[in-house]
Amino acid sequence: MIEAFHIEALAHISPAWPVIIGGLIAAIIPNFTLRKALALAVPVMALVLWFNPAAPGTYGIIEFGGFTLETFRYDPLSRIWGLVFIIAAFINAIYGLHEKDRLADTMGMIYAGAGLGAVFAGDLLTLFFFWELTAISSVFLIWGSRNNAAYKAGLRYLAIHILSGVLLLAGAVIRASETGSWAFDETLSIETTGGFLIFLAFGIKCAFPLLHNWLQDAYPKATITGAVVLSAFTTKLAVYALARGYAGTDILIYIGAVMTAFPVFFAVVENDLRKVLAYSLNNQLGFMVVGVGVGTELALNGAAAHAFVHIIYKALLFMSMGAVLLRVGTVKASELGGLFKSMPATAVFCLIGAASISAFPLFSGFVAKALTLAAVAQEGHVIVWFVLIFASAGVLEHSGIKIPYFAFFAHDRGLRVREAPANMLIAMFLAAALCLWFGIFYGNLYEMLPFPEAALYYEPYTFDHIVGQMQLLLGAMFAFTLLVRFGLYPEEKRSENVDSDWVYRRFGDGALRWIWAMMDRLTAAIGNVINAVGRKLGGRMFQAFSPIGALSRDIPSGLLAIWTSALLAIVLLIAYLAP
Amino acid sequence: MSDPSKDKSDELIHPVARPFLWLDAPWLKSAMIWVFGLLALAFAGVDFFHHRHEYVPFAETYGFYAWWGFASFVAAVMIGWFGIRKFLGREENYWDKESHDD
């Protein structure tokens, strides 16, 4: 553990607050420089608060409306997630320094702060508040692209995430009514109704299979900086929530295994390189979910370590593609190639991110993924282990090779653009340096893990492990060169691959439109029937009771009306006088 | 691949990238097959001299990771190509003529 200093006056302030308040202040600051200075300052303030607690415990307790809200639970699990969120917020702030968008600055900070708030939440109500705040603030990073596709994707994203929040609240309320507890801890169980709904809420945000497509739908349509920011917080918050509440839940092992494997196939033929990264994100989350599912100390260390390094190298990859998008105007693989000639520094940073995610020795992915794989094998989940090894080769395919190869090498399209702006290069440099730092000095990472003793007992750089990993990577790279050489690698072409979003974007939308049209026709038909019956009945009544009707043939209807009134008056009089 | 001699006269190429223009040379593509193939064989060959200790016994077979990596990569590409693209691939404007880069 890193030694903490202590300022008592700040002991109860969660690192989330300065970041959120900074975001709110940014909303009213028109001056660009001041706003950017604030965006850089708030993560530093958060870091001071992160260091501050003298010991693990629950701080920042607020009594509100009969509820006890725990806003700052500081323990080994929240501590590592909190730290990497703060690092991400700082690097993202540097990356976005060139962007003149007050709304993006505001929402970026509030979103990061909400992520921190959720990580440090000690009860389900506090978690719910920050959970929804992440959804509401982050959607503006998608809408910030200011085009119709982004607007629609943002709406879908918001709807799905609000649904996640509603499920979380419903589950929490049901659980509280059954047990009287709002605790956000390991007592959550999928075997209870409330616990299952909360699990589902976490699963949506974690992009479980078939619930995943909001990610591939929204992230590629976000702004350049927005995609980088989005990649850091939402899904990793969900992994944290699962680790906090559902560690050791067996079904997570299989859900995670599926998550690692299926995105690989989609990523192979995806043309939009930011969408490839979104699929890759899904794949990486799978490793973490498996770790949470296995639930041993080693496995949870694996999930935490993977989340930590993943946030950094995934941000690095998104940053490099963001730089390409800024300079070239597209990240379609079919339009790119040869960019190392124009953007050599960006290419190098992208390669470092690619090597990290592919788990090359000396890079951060190697020391993190090893923990999960060892835990899965130790616990005897052999089939899942084989799936994870397959998925490791898959990661190399889409993030290790496809992203850098098609953007910076492959066919030179003659694109001669400027290198990325200085602030982007600095942000990428910092992220790349951390990828190498934690890959080489892995002890710094391991000592921050939830179970540092178990982590420091594990040695990632054994001869066997290095040889095995190099075999895997070189075998896969040999396959790539061979497939390309013999024309067996699919060409990049402008296309769209439908995914599970087809269910609601095409089938669901079509079904709703059909139901709406049928309802329209049914309403019209019922109206016609009522009108026809009304007309028929009215006609009959008219024929019987009108002044020219059947009943008026012998006695004039006016006289009959007088007699009817008189009879009614007599009846009322009798009723009134009767005892 | 572009013409390397043309690249040298291309003033828009970043000065830092100039010493690395050979990365775009056609011979490199063929050479990489040999480089990666031989390196994969070399690392797989280590297994004949050194017994790797694994939690999963099957992974201790000679060159396991090399052939598993090779097979996984090929399987991923083929399933993506002939499974996903063939059955789930659509024209680019399938979703209401939306474009990500608009």
Side-chain angles (χ1 to χ4, degrees):
Chain A
M1 295 282 258
I2 295 167
E3 288 300 317
F5 63 92
H6 185 61
I7 304 169
E8 184 57 36
L10 302 176
H12 292 281
I13 303 173
S14 159
W17 296 122
V19 188
I20 293 173
I21 292 167
L24 294 172
I25 293 171
I28 55 167
I29 298 180
N31 184 286
F32 169 77
T33 311
L34 271 179
R35 236 177 26 243
K36 294 300 179 185
L38 191 64
L40 288 172
V42 291
V44 177
M45 291 180 208
L47 190 64
V48 170
L49 295 172
W50 180 87
F51 270 112
N52 193 44
T58 303
Y59 305 93
I61 294 172
I62 300 170
E63 297 291 339
F64 179 77
F67 295 103
T68 303
L69 306 177
E70 300 172 2
T71 62
F72 190 15
R73 173 171 50 194
Y74 185 79
D75 67 6
L77 193 63
S78 61
R79 188 180 154 87
I80 184 170
W81 252 273
L83 178 63
V84 73
F85 277 13
I86 292 167
I87 293 170
F90 184 71
I91 293 176
N92 293 345
I94 296 173
Y95 187 77
L97 278 178
H98 67 285
E99 202 174 58
K100 292 182 177 173
D101 186 338
R102 200 195 305 187
L103 189 62
D105 292 340
T106 300
M107 291 305 171
M109 276 185 257
I110 293 175
Y111 175 44
L116 278 168
V119 158
F120 288 117
D123 65 283
L124 289 170
L125 275 179
T126 308
L127 177 70
F128 169 75
F129 172 75
F130 288 115
W131 195 263
E132 289 295 52
L133 192 57
T134 58
I136 294 163
S137 53
S138 60
V139 74
F140 289 93
L141 304 175
I142 301 160
W143 284 338
S145 292
R146 296 186 170 83
N147 61 56
N148 195 38
Y151 172 69
K152 287 181 179 175
L155 282 180
R156 288 190 291 271
Y157 171 90
L158 189 60
I160 289 167
H161 283 269
I162 294 292
L163 172 67
S164 164
V166 170
L167 287 170
L168 170 58
L169 184 62
V173 169
I174 291 170
R175 181 164 172 271
S177 68
E178 287 171 351
T179 64
S181 168
W182 293 93
F184 171 35
D185 57 18
E186 69 285 352
T187 58
L188 291 168
S189 164
I190 58 167
E191 285 162 13
T192 62
T193 310
F196 181 74
L197 290 177
I198 295 169
F199 182 77
L200 210 54
F202 293 172
I204 290 173
K205 236 179 177 69
C206 195
F208 279 2
L210 302 179
L211 305 174
H212 67 282
N213 220 230
W214 58 265
L215 203 163
Q216 290 80 17
D217 182 20
Y219 283 18
K221 298 187 183 81
T223 62
I224 289 170
T225 308
V228 178
V229 178
L230 283 165
S231 75
F233 300 105
T234 298
T235 49
K236 260 62 72 187
L237 167 60
V239 172
Y240 166 81
L242 288 168
R244 173 68 70 185
Y246 298 94
T249 303
D250 280 349
I251 196 168
L252 284 173
I253 300 171
Y254 307 104
I255 291 173
V258 174
M259 284 172 77
T260 60
F262 87 88
V264 170
F265 308 123
F266 281 89
V268 167
V269 287
E270 179 53 56
N271 192 35
D272 183 325
L273 294 181
R274 289 205 301 174
K275 201 166 180 177
V276 171
L277 287 176
Y279 275 116
S280 164
L281 214 166
N282 230 180
N283 156 285
Q284 294 287 291
L285 290 169
F287 283 93
M288 298 170 216
V289 171
V290 168
V292 173
V294 172
T296 59
E297 288 189 355
L298 187 62
L300 288 172
N301 277 341
H306 205 146
F308 190 97
V309 298
H310 166 85
I311 285 174
I312 297 166
Y313 60 63
K314 182 60 71 178
L316 176 55
L317 288 165
F318 266 109
M319 282 192 267
S320 65
M321 286 303 102
V324 169
L325 182 56
L326 179 74
R327 289 309 192 208
V328 182
T330 184
V331 280
K332 299 276 165 63
S334 55
E335 317 297 315
L336 297 176
L339 277 173
F340 83 93
K341 295 174 184 174
S342 310
M343 305 174 78
T346 306
V348 169
F349 294 137
C350 182
L351 283 168
I352 291 173
S356 299
I357 198 171
S358 305
F360 273 87
L362 302 181
F363 292 86
S364 58
F366 180 81
V367 300
K369 201 190 285 182
L371 296 166
T372 308
L373 285 169
V376 168
Q378 271 182 4
E379 295 306 304
H381 300 288
V382 177
I383 293 171
V384 172
W385 184 83
F386 276 106
V387 174
L388 297 189
I389 299 294
F390 161 79
S392 298
V395 176
L396 177 73
E397 196 288 322
H398 54 68
S399 291
I401 294 175
K402 181 168 178 168
I403 295 283
Y405 180 73
F406 285 104
F408 297 103
F409 304 99
H411 312 284
D412 183 0
R413 310 272 178 194
L415 300 164
R416 298 293 179 259
V417 294
R418 280 185 298 152
E419 179 55 281
N423 63 300
M424 285 186 166
L425 291 176
I426 292 168
M428 285 191 272
F429 170 78
L430 286 176
L434 288 173
C435 287
L436 281 162
W437 179 272
F438 288 116
I440 298 165
F441 305 107
Y442 61 91
N444 294 157
L445 174 67
Y446 284 7
E447 68 185 10
M448 289 189 291
L449 295 176
F451 305 99
E453 294 81 13
L456 292 169
Y457 179 71
Y458 181 81
E459 172 54 54
Y461 286 108
T462 62
F463 183 75
D464 289 2
H465 186 206
I466 294 169
V467 168
Q469 185 66 5
M470 289 309 294
Q471 280 187 18
L472 186 84
L473 295 171
L474 288 164
M477 287 159 80
F478 175 54
F480 173 72
T481 51
L482 217 56
L483 291 175
V484 169
R485 174 69 182 79
F486 292 105
L488 293 171
Y489 194 88
E491 61 167 334
E492 299 305 310
K493 63 174 191 178
R494 298 184 80 102
S495 62
E496 184 77 45
N497 301 306
V498 293
D499 197 341
S500 62
D501 58 344
W502 182 87
V503 174
Y504 53 88
R505 290 179 71 181
R506 193 61 94 193
F507 176 75
D509 182 58
L512 277 176
R513 284 174 195 278
W514 182 82
I515 290 168
W516 190 254
M518 288 301 110
M519 289 294 284
D520 253 6
R521 289 173 67 172
L522 188 66
T523 310
I526 291 170
N528 287 343
V529 169
I530 290 171
N531 284 343
V533 169
R535 273 198 306 275
K536 214 164 198 171
L537 206 64
R540 291 274 165 85
M541 297 274 279
F542 187 80
Q543 283 170 3
F545 299 109
S546 73
I548 56 165
L551 293 175
S552 303
R553 274 184 206 147
D554 301 323
I555 307 163
S557 61
L559 189 61
L560 202 62
I562 291 166
W563 275 112
T564 308
S565 304
L567 276 171
L568 184 62
I570 291 163
V571 169
L572 284 174
L573 204 62
I574 291 167
Y576 180 72
L577 295 173
Chain B
M1 299 280 172
S2 61
D3 180 359
S5 59
K6 201 178 163 187
D7 276 347
K8 281 175 189 166
S9 61
D10 189 341
E11 290 179 359
L12 293 173
I13 288 177
H14 198 289
V16 174
R18 286 192 179 277
F20 302 99
L21 293 179
W22 54 271
L23 287 171
D24 203 21
W27 58 264
L28 190 63
K29 202 182 266 187
S30 304
M32 292 318 281
I33 298 176
W34 289 100
V35 170
F36 290 136
L38 289 173
L39 279 173
L41 274 176
F43 274 97
V46 170
D47 287 355
F48 289 95
F49 306 102
H50 168 79
H51 178 74
R52 271 186 297 105
H53 295 281
E54 297 280 346
Y55 292 112
V56 178
F58 189 70
E60 292 182 350
T61 51
Y62 296 119
F64 163 77
Y65 286 102
W67 69 259
W68 185 264
F70 182 90
S72 297
F73 195 99
V74 172
V77 170
M78 292 303 149
I79 294 172
W81 194 2
F82 297 107
I84 304 298
R85 180 170 281 179
K86 188 170 182 184
F87 294 105
L88 300 175
R90 301 287 186 274
E91 71 278 14
E92 196 181 28
N93 58 0
Y94 179 74
W95 300 116
D96 305 320
K97 301 193 188 319
E98 292 176 352
S99 170
H100 301 168
D101 296 337
D102 284 348

